[in-house]
Amino acid sequence: QVQLIESGGGLVRAGDSLTVSCTVSGPTLSRFVLGWFRRVTGKDREFVAAIYWIGGATYYGDSVRGRFTISRDSAKNVVYLRMNSLQPEDTAVYYCAARPTLRAGVLSNDYEYDYWGQGTQVTVSA
């Protein structure tokens, strides 16, 4: 079983940068894709980014591409989401999630992820 613990959320101003982290534990992490999603109250969960644990290939949602960067530290078992040029519309609870690498489907579909963290709040003031 994979366990995910997010950290690093907080309150920032528009234009600031922030990095949130996801500490991952469990067997055979090499078999997983790690993703970040976000949710605003009353709205559907939105795909932010994903990374293959092996190889490090990355994918981004349209609303964050060019501003956010996902990365992982295999030695520390941590996945990072570096967020630059933050805007008030980026305000959300950010969740880390994991899904099997070999599962067919689309990385941006949240229902394909089996494991989820508890989330970390990111608030961007105008």
Side-chain angles (χ1 to χ4, degrees):
Q1 178 145 350
V2 177
Q3 295 182 323
L4 308 162
I5 301 176
E6 301 95 336
S7 61
L11 173 64
V12 297
R13 296 181 178 179
D16 284 352
S17 297
L18 185 69
T19 298
V20 291
S21 303
C22 175
T23 301
V24 188
S25 61
T28 60
L29 293 180
S30 60
R31 298 181 181 177
F32 289 89
V33 176
L34 280 298
W36 284 98
F37 289 79
R38 65 187 183 185
R39 173 175 274 167
V40 176
T41 302
K43 295 187 176 181
D44 292 336
R45 203 153 36 193
E46 177 188 9
F47 172 72
V48 177
I51 186 168
Y52 281 77
W53 195 261
I54 296 297
T58 58
Y59 300 86
Y60 295 93
D62 291 340
S63 62
V64 306
R65 189 176 293 112
R67 297 189 299 125
F68 290 12
T69 302
I70 188 172
S71 62
R72 88 266 189 256
D73 185 328
S74 300
K76 297 181 179 180
N77 281 2
V78 178
V79 177
Y80 302 99
L81 184 68
R82 173 68 174 179
M83 303 179 286
N84 295 327
S85 302
L86 283 162
Q87 300 301 317
E89 52 265 34
D90 294 315
T91 295
V93 177
Y94 283 73
Y95 296 91
C96 183
R99 55 156 278 171
T101 300
L102 297 180
R103 175 172 290 164
V106 179
L107 292 179
S108 58
N109 291 334
D110 60 351
Y111 55 82
E112 296 187 11
Y113 288 75
D114 297 331
Y115 305 99
W116 291 84
Q118 82 288 350
T120 185
Q121 175 72 46
V122 173
T123 302
V124 185
S125 63

